[in-house]
Amino acid sequence: MLVAAVLVMGLFVMSFLVAAYQTHALFLRTRSIVVREIAGAITADFNRALAAMLALATRSYYDHYRFTDFTSNFEEYGLQPRDLNSAKDVAYLYLNAWANVQRTVYAEYGVQISWHPCASPLPRNPRVYVYDLFLIYWNKTHDNKPYAASYACAQLQLNITNVGFYHWTTNSLIGLVLIIDEVNERSNSIVFTVLVDNGTYYGLLLAKGWVEVYLYRNGRWEAASIKDVTYEGLGRYNVTLDESKGSSIKGSSRVLVVVSDERGILVVTQQETATSDEEQRGRRP
């Protein structure tokens, strides 16, 4: 009888342990799915919100009134034309409001969210860092090429208390880089490279973004007529200007390129032409 009782008790304990293990395993599998879905959705939305604020900053800095359909929506919150500090203030208000919305949407999961600016080097230019949320780094030179970047960097911190998920952090680096590789007077064309975020080649300029070219002549900038834009791969584009409509690089001392991606982030840089070099040496083109 004693032996039978021990065996029965052993079977009962083993059954209980197996059931407990299966329950725990099911909880872990369920939790991992919930965590992945919630963390992925919040992170993606944070990246969109950060990109929207960078687009606002770059557009207001470049030409506030040209993009007034967008920029005017934030003037009541203190946005000022060509004022990066006011754009940062607006971004703080917007991102804090975004965090409050996420806490409400995922309240049943006990979501806790915080964020703050972080620091990161720029792609292809590791000596320059983005910090204090935004960096507009236009009309610069790197590796003897005209270089420009518009960037935002922020760290997102997340707890999902109701499923026991704590201390998750991720850095969001959002931005756009423009590098002018060549200005060719003979073919009347400009070759440049576009990168996004952590240095990924951007191949959607023709489908979702846009490019503008300006020529500096007679003491002012003039919009150039673009004849053709060709994507050569690895983020490299070749823009040919329409000389029949008066858009000739030979008559310009400088060339300005403006690029926007589908998120609305702008980047701007320029290069002096061979014509400018000849003028500096006292020779007429």
Side-chain angles (χ1 to χ4, degrees):
M1 293 291 294
L2 181 61
V3 173
V6 170
L7 290 175
V8 170
M9 184 61 68
L11 290 173
F12 176 78
V13 172
M14 290 295 295
S15 298
F16 175 78
L17 291 176
V18 170
Y21 174 79
Q22 290 176 340
T23 301
H24 181 65
L26 177 62
F27 170 76
L28 290 177
R29 288 196 300 270
T30 304
R31 186 185 71 167
S32 65
I33 295 173
V34 171
V35 167
R36 286 199 304 269
E37 290 181 350
I38 295 177
I42 291 176
T43 301
D45 206 51
F46 181 69
N47 289 340
R48 285 191 291 267
L50 189 60
M53 289 298 95
L54 180 59
L56 176 68
T58 56
R59 292 191 172 210
S60 180
Y61 188 80
Y62 176 65
D63 193 337
H64 181 90
Y65 298 104
R66 172 181 172 182
F67 303 103
T68 187
D69 288 347
F70 180 34
T71 57
S72 62
N73 296 324
F74 298 90
E75 290 175 355
E76 62 181 300
Y77 301 104
L79 181 65
Q80 300 293 327
R82 289 193 62 81
D83 185 353
L84 187 57
N85 288 327
S86 71
K88 290 178 182 178
D89 292 339
V90 170
Y92 271 87
L93 292 173
Y94 183 86
L95 293 173
N96 287 335
W98 170 87
N100 288 332
V101 170
Q102 300 302 311
R103 295 186 191 104
T104 301
V105 170
Y106 296 100
E108 63 180 301
Y109 296 101
V111 167
Q112 299 172 344
I113 297 176
S114 62
W115 72 274
H116 59 81
C118 61
S120 177
L122 296 181
R124 300 280 185 96
N125 198 350
R127 294 184 178 181
V128 178
Y129 275 71
V130 51
Y131 61 94
D132 194 19
L133 195 58
F134 291 149
L135 175 65
I136 295 181
Y137 191 75
W138 295 353
N139 297 319
K140 305 297 183 179
T141 301
H142 178 63
D143 287 341
N144 296 318
K145 292 183 178 181
Y147 175 101
S150 301
Y151 265 84
C153 186
Q155 183 179 83
L156 179 67
Q157 299 174 333
L158 177 65
N159 296 327
I160 310 177
T161 60
N162 288 358
V163 294
F165 184 74
Y166 296 93
H167 309 302
W168 184 82
T169 63
T170 183
N171 288 349
S172 293
L173 184 64
I174 303 295
L176 196 65
V177 168
L178 171 63
I179 304 167
I180 296 181
D181 299 302
E182 180 184 0
V183 175
N184 193 321
E185 290 189 2
R186 181 172 300 177
S187 61
N188 205 34
S189 64
I190 304 150
V191 179
F192 58 85
T193 299
V194 183
L195 311 173
V196 292
D197 299 342
N198 61 356
T200 303
Y201 296 118
Y202 184 64
L204 301 176
L205 186 63
L206 300 180
K208 297 184 177 181
W210 52 263
V211 57
E212 295 176 347
V213 177
Y214 295 85
L215 304 175
Y216 194 76
R217 295 187 294 202
N218 302 319
R220 63 188 181 92
W221 288 105
E222 299 178 0
S225 177
I226 295 177
K227 182 178 181 181
D228 182 56
V229 182
T230 303
Y231 181 52
E232 300 179 344
L234 299 179
R236 186 179 170 97
Y237 296 85
N238 191 321
V239 175
T240 302
L241 304 184
D242 194 344
E243 194 166 3
S244 67
K245 296 183 179 179
S247 298
S248 174
I249 295 175
K250 293 180 181 179
S252 173
S253 61
R254 281 178 285 166
V255 173
L256 180 76
V257 180
V258 183
V259 166
S260 173
D261 66 6
E262 71 275 14
R263 299 171 295 185
I265 301 170
L266 294 184
V267 68
V268 182
T269 194
Q270 60 180 286
Q271 179 172 320
E272 293 186 347
T273 65
T275 300
S276 176
D277 294 337
E278 290 173 355
E279 289 175 350
Q280 292 176 7
R281 292 194 298 267
R283 294 185 293 172
R284 294 186 179 277

